[in-house]
Amino acid sequence: MRQTSIKRDILLGAISLLAILGIGLFLYVRNFSLNAADTAFDRVLAASALSIADSIRVEDGNLTVELPLASLEILGAARETRAFYAVRAPDHSLITGYADLPQAKRDDRDRSPTFFDATYSNDAVRVGTVWRYIDFGEKSGWVSVTVAETREARTQLASHILKNSFAPMALAGLVMCLLISKGLNRAWAPLVSLEAELTGREPADLTPIRTSVPKEVTSLVSSLNVFMQRLDGVLSTLRRIAVDTTHEMRTPLASIRALAEVAAAEKDPALQRSYVDRIHANAVDATRIVNQLLAEAAIAHHIETSSNPRCDFLELYLQAVERLPAHSMQRCRLTDLSTTHDDFLVCGAPLAFRELIDNLLDNALKYAPAGTIDVDLRTTPDGSTILFDVADRGPGIPDAEKAVVLERFRRGTAGAEIAGTGLGLNIAKSAAVAAGGDLSLLDRPGGGLVARVTLPRAA
């Protein structure tokens, strides 16, 4: 996959912008230099025409012109330039000069010199015309003096102005490109420092990034810190589960090994059978511990990685009831939900809710071996909260132990003789809290315990 460079893109963008501005300035200065050259040379052209106009005389009733040397010298000041002239009488007859030289039309309202561009003898020329009123009887009128010159000198002056103007601009553009490049290197320095910090870290170092960065990159660094914090939480959970598994499995495995060695040496079939039963019981306990720890790890993973999907708590509840053995199903009294029109949508990982329901049902059936288990699923009157109750007629939990049994590997005194891991209620509590709800343990009127889960209802 082709990699792009922000630095290069910014530099190319800046150079492109400067190039566009340079082209615009070049066209502007070029046009300005041509206009400036025309303005300067038009004044010379007008002065030459006026000099010729001042030399017009009336002799014997006819107009005569004696071309002044000064006007000719002005017109021939530049070697490359060729000059043309024409003096015409009021009746447009040629007095002297080039008969086919074009001239401007006279404007009675404006008697100032008139200038225009034309082509003469296959050359581009600049033409200037002035008028002088001559009074000599019946032939009195406006005499026109037209002077033209080729554009070589004007073009040379315009090019000179353009070169002298554009060279500093080109140098300024080059300096700006260098300054932009230096500025980008300076702006990238904090990112280089950030890269050096991350590269030099130990693999297990997930502490927040402390390197000072520009405010434009602050959100990126904040996102990295949040990601590393979440990753550290997942790794901590995995490490904790690994440690707990090692600790909790050590005792049942050691017991299984010891009982197996004793059973192998025992000759009495009855005693050997009792050892095998105890080995089986310890194996069941070990399996239960492993399953609970794996479920806890899976829930933690789903809570961290889930995009908070919506799921139907009622459907998960009905699936959990269907998984119950037949004898356990007979002990459960379920709320009739066949006529309900409420939906029980919640936000969270389905696996977490599945473990929550299974653990609460399993605890009620296990710690209350006699009596009916009442299971109720409903919504609050305002419809904002889902309530899930599992009520039993067991020994209950003293108030002083209600908070304790919700912790990991902690069990109440009433159920000390019953096999368990001390993880079921903690897993249910974690799943409820992760979904924005809670798990509370309440005394049931008449004896027993009510495990109540409150979950916010998804919109």
Side-chain angles (χ1 to χ4, degrees):
M1 183 176 180
R2 181 177 177 271
Q3 290 184 328
T4 59
S5 171
I6 298 177
K7 194 173 173 184
R8 182 187 60 195
D9 291 344
I10 293 176
L11 187 59
L12 290 178
I15 292 175
S16 300
L17 179 60
L18 289 175
I20 294 173
L21 292 175
I23 293 173
L25 287 174
F26 174 80
L27 296 176
Y28 171 78
V29 173
R30 180 175 175 271
N31 185 63
F32 173 81
S33 62
L34 290 173
N35 290 335
D38 280 341
T39 300
F41 278 90
D42 283 350
R43 291 176 181 175
V44 176
L45 204 62
S48 176
L50 290 172
S51 177
I52 295 174
D54 290 339
S55 65
I56 299 173
R57 299 287 183 269
V58 179
E59 296 180 0
D60 299 330
N62 295 316
L63 295 174
T64 62
V65 179
E66 185 178 353
L67 291 178
L69 295 176
S71 64
L72 297 177
E73 290 176 355
I74 291 174
L75 292 174
R79 284 182 192 175
E80 302 85 358
T81 303
R82 290 178 295 132
F84 312 92
Y85 67 94
V87 180
R88 291 180 174 88
D91 60 357
H92 302 294
S93 62
L94 182 67
I95 300 174
T96 183
Y98 297 84
D100 58 346
L101 186 66
Q103 70 172 13
K105 293 182 179 180
R106 187 174 65 84
D107 187 354
D108 293 335
R109 294 172 297 178
D110 186 8
R111 298 181 182 179
S112 60
T114 303
F115 303 95
F116 64 95
D117 294 314
T119 302
Y120 183 70
S121 296
N122 296 324
D123 290 322
V125 295
R126 181 72 169 175
V127 182
T129 303
V130 298
W131 285 268
R132 179 65 54 85
Y133 187 81
I134 303 297
D135 187 2
F136 59 110
E138 295 180 355
K139 297 181 179 180
S140 299
W142 291 94
V143 177
S144 66
V145 178
T146 301
V147 180
E149 64 177 354
T150 54
R151 300 193 61 91
E152 290 85 359
R154 295 168 182 262
T155 303
Q156 185 178 7
L157 177 59
S159 299
H160 183 69
I161 295 174
L162 180 62
K163 290 178 182 178
N164 290 339
S165 301
F166 197 71
M169 289 191 293
L171 179 61
L174 180 60
V175 173
M176 289 179 65
C177 289
L178 293 175
L179 291 177
I180 291 173
S181 179
K182 293 292 184 182
L184 288 175
N185 289 334
R186 182 177 179 183
W188 247 249
L191 297 182
V192 175
S193 301
L194 177 62
E195 178 187 6
E197 178 186 347
L198 293 176
T199 304
R201 282 191 172 198
E202 295 294 330
D205 185 4
L206 295 175
T207 56
I209 298 171
R210 302 298 182 187
T211 301
S212 178
V213 295
K215 63 180 181 180
E216 290 80 5
V217 193
T218 302
S219 59
L220 173 62
V221 174
S222 299
S223 300
L224 284 175
N225 286 336
V226 171
F227 172 75
M228 290 194 296
Q229 182 180 5
R230 292 174 59 189
L231 180 60
D232 185 56
V234 172
L235 294 178
S236 298
T237 300
L238 294 177
R239 285 192 294 266
R240 185 192 69 215
I241 291 174
V243 172
D244 291 341
T245 302
T246 303
H247 179 268
E248 295 298 323
M249 291 297 294
R250 183 178 292 111
T251 299
L253 290 179
S255 178
I256 289 173
R257 179 178 178 179
L259 289 172
E261 292 175 351
V262 173
E266 182 60 52
K267 303 299 184 182
D268 187 349
L271 289 176
Q272 194 175 52
R273 177 66 182 177
S274 67
Y275 289 137
V276 171
D277 291 339
R278 292 172 62 185
I279 290 173
H280 177 265
N282 284 331
V284 171
D285 289 342
T287 302
R288 185 185 300 111
I289 293 173
V290 172
N291 289 337
Q292 291 276 30
L293 290 173
L294 290 177
E296 184 185 28
I299 291 174
H301 172 73
H302 275 260
I303 291 175
E304 284 292 331
T305 59
S306 175
S307 57
N308 205 25
R310 296 199 309 174
C311 59
D312 189 353
F313 192 87
L314 174 59
E315 181 180 354
L316 297 175
Y317 159 68
L318 295 177
Q319 292 174 359
V321 171
E322 291 177 358
R323 289 194 297 269
L324 291 175
H327 64 277
S328 297
M329 176 74 75
Q330 295 173 358
R331 294 184 52 202
C332 293
R333 184 163 53 201
L334 308 178
T335 303
D336 184 13
L337 297 172
S338 59
T339 59
T340 184
H341 298 287
D342 293 331
D343 62 72
F344 294 87
L345 295 179
V346 290
C347 291
L351 175 64
F353 294 128
R354 189 177 297 115
E355 289 294 330
L356 179 151
I357 298 170
D358 287 345
N359 283 329
L360 293 183
L361 292 176
D362 181 68
N363 276 0
L365 293 168
K366 181 168 58 176
Y367 291 101
T372 302
I373 308 300
D374 293 317
V375 184
D376 184 23
L377 179 62
R378 66 191 185 279
T379 60
T380 55
D382 61 2
S384 63
T385 305
I386 295 174
L387 299 178
F388 176 59
D389 290 348
V390 179
D392 61 51
R393 288 298 180 184
I397 300 177
D399 292 340
E401 296 182 0
K402 284 186 172 67
V404 175
V405 296
L406 294 176
E407 300 176 6
R408 300 178 75 247
F409 300 114
R410 301 294 296 274
R411 304 181 63 197
T413 55
E417 301 300 324
I418 301 174
T421 62
L423 284 174
L425 290 177
N426 178 261
I427 290 175
K429 173 84 171 180
S430 300
V433 171
D438 196 14
L439 169 64
S440 55
L441 302 178
L442 309 173
D443 292 331
R444 186 181 185 184
L449 182 72
V450 178
R452 174 168 295 170
V453 177
T454 58
L455 296 171
R457 191 177 182 185

